Amino acid sequence: MIPAIQIDNVHKHYGKVHALRGMSLTIQQGEFFGLLGPNGAGKSTLINIIAGLTRKNSGNVTVMGHDVVKAYRQSRYSLGVVPQELVYDPFFNVRELLQIQAGYFGKGKEINPWIDELLEGLKLTDKADVNMQALSGGMKRRVLIAQALVHKPPVVILDEPTAGVDVELRNSLWQFVQGLHREGHTIVLTTHYLEEAENLCERIAIINDGAVVALDTKEALLERGVGKTCKVVITLAKPLEQIPVALQPMLKTHEQNRIEFTLQRGSDSIMALINTLVSAGAEISDIKTEDADLEDVFIELTRAVNQ
């Protein structure tokens, strides 16, 4: 099967800034794929290259087997991008905007039933005749998603789609996007809400400084290094002046009467930790344990690159 997106050894320079450093990545058809990284990691540059908005310096990129430069018409027809910024035309209402967007891809009146379906699915039906300027930020973001989908592309890139969106709107957006995924659409998500990526994505790439630092299923990522740790948060009845020397290697944070430790699975004992604290005079009022999550993995991997 042809990959939905294929990226091979892509480099991009902005003057002296090396934004992408030999980026290589394969996203298969039908995947719900997460593309994560800190600000400045190269995510936006990569998306712009895939979308044909930025020219790479070297390497190859295809969308559904179509080269983004040599076969740009076919590649762009295969792709829908929901941008991070709220970009819209203030002179049209929602329905007009979608009809104009469909026209860019050669679609005429035959697309109107699909537009109605998008409006209903994104809960925009009652806003169809409302000018874009009169919509809230969350509603504008829904329209951007409808714009990206109006020509029925098999591959959809969502760049921070829930930034600044309230919880109710975020949940309804994800219900709609998950429906698209079940229908066979390839979804590529960038987000700073790492719990979203952990809940939705099947595979995740973490990029930093223009390169891929990790690429795997979320389960495999959680089993790497930091994923084999356990967080223990202990609340004391009163502050402990000095943490025992034996516990210093495990100590993560110590603030007043709250102490957080990181234990290695299979080698560090919670009971030994507690006994050592009690022997040092600690009065423990609460203990909470947490498994490492995707945020812990993200912080560990990106910190390792930046050091």
Side-chain angles (χ1 to χ4, degrees), residues 5 17 83 90 124 133 152 181 188 251 261 264 271 293 302:
I5 298 175
V17 177
L124 287 167
Q133 290 190 98
K152 296 187 176 181
H181 181 236
V188 180
L251 181 64
F261 295 95
Q264 298 295 321
M271 285 306 303
D293 57 16
T302 54

Side-chain angles (χ1 to χ4, degrees), residues 130-190:
V130 176
N131 186 279
M132 286 294 295
Q133 290 190 98
L135 297 181
S136 67
M139 288 297 174
K140 288 188 178 80
R141 202 164 289 281
R142 287 177 186 238
V143 176
L144 293 182
I145 293 176
Q147 274 189 283
L149 295 170
V150 75
H151 62 291
K152 296 187 176 181
V155 183
V156 181
I157 296 179
L158 306 172
D159 190 5
E160 299 285 347
T162 56
V165 171
D166 62 59
V167 174
E168 182 179 356
L169 190 54
R170 183 180 300 154
N171 290 338
S172 64
L173 282 175
W174 286 134
Q175 288 177 8
F176 181 78
V177 171
Q178 286 176 304
L180 291 174
H181 181 236
R182 286 191 295 270
E183 292 171 5
H185 287 267
T186 302
I187 309 295
V188 180
L189 169 68
T190 77

